[in-house]
Amino acid sequence: TGLKVGSKYEATLTAYTFENGVVQEYPYLITANIKSGLIISPEPVDFGSVGAGQSKTISVTVAKDPAVQFSDTASFVVDINRSNMFKGFNEYQFTSPNSLFLSGGDKQPKNFDIVFTPTINQNYDDTLDIQISINGCDFFMPVAIRGSTTSGDTLLIYTKDMQGVDPGIDNFRI
């Protein structure tokens, strides 16, 4: 399944020498902290509450992590694909490039937009796995996407003096 971004892995490499009939063992601990080399912000992408039928757009930035060293010849490909969403809500649309390209020497971040247009009153929490390829080595970086809508229900109040309402009515249902 590959290495997981944000995880720490350790392995022991042991070298042996044989000299004058004596075997010497030299163990060496190797530690790897798996980083993507990229920072995605905001994280999470939080739209808050948006009215049903309304839209809100958030620009997502992909930048190189200054704490990670890459050669100037390193190449990054970042793919944004709806099929990599956990739930796949259609209320989220990705309007900008489907792929972003960065090289090891790039100083400027890249952006893509997510448009949230809720249709019914519910929470739209989802996760987008952004596919990242660094020099041909592929992995996914999960990004939480949150949004909801609170479209109010219509409240009708009938009073006894309204036209067309039975004057004997004294029970109301809401």
Side-chain angles (χ1 to χ4, degrees):
T1 59
L3 302 178
K4 183 177 177 184
V5 173
S7 298
K8 180 179 177 180
Y9 295 89
E10 293 182 347
T12 301
L13 173 67
T14 304
Y16 298 92
T17 62
F18 183 77
E19 188 173 323
N20 296 328
V22 177
V23 175
Q24 287 284 350
E25 184 177 294
Y26 300 94
Y28 184 74
L29 181 65
I30 300 172
T31 302
N33 292 311
I34 306 303
K35 296 182 178 183
S36 72
L38 298 177
I39 297 172
I40 297 176
S41 63
E43 169 57 41
V45 180
D46 193 344
F47 287 90
S49 182
V50 178
Q54 303 295 310
S55 292
K56 183 174 181 180
T57 302
I58 293 180
S59 184
V60 177
T61 301
V62 179
K64 289 190 335 183
D65 184 345
V68 178
Q69 297 293 321
F70 285 97
S71 73
D72 287 346
T73 60
S75 65
F76 301 82
V77 179
V78 179
D79 287 319
I80 300 97
N81 188 331
R82 147 169 307 295
S83 67
N84 291 333
M85 291 181 72
F86 180 68
K87 295 179 183 172
F89 287 116
N90 288 326
E91 286 76 5
Y92 292 113
Q93 296 298 317
F94 306 98
T95 63
S96 287
N98 289 346
S99 292
L100 305 174
F101 303 93
L102 294 100
S103 69
D106 278 345
K107 303 275 189 241
Q108 295 300 315
K110 307 291 185 183
N111 296 297
F112 67 95
D113 293 335
I114 302 176
V115 179
F116 175 51
T117 309
T119 55
I120 61 173
N121 188 14
Q122 73 175 40
N123 287 327
Y124 291 91
D125 293 350
D126 208 338
T127 300
L128 170 65
D129 279 337
I130 295 178
Q131 185 173 355
I132 299 173
S133 178
I134 301 175
N135 291 348
C137 180
D138 296 337
F139 58 92
F140 288 99
M141 191 168 178
V143 175
I145 304 175
R146 297 180 184 150
S148 65
T149 185
T150 53
S151 60
D153 293 329
T154 303
L155 176 63
L156 299 175
I157 299 176
Y158 293 98
T159 64
K160 290 183 179 186
D161 58 345
M162 290 180 67
Q163 287 186 348
V165 176
D166 178 9
I169 191 170
D170 56 3
N171 291 325
F172 300 97
R173 286 182 51 191
I174 297 178

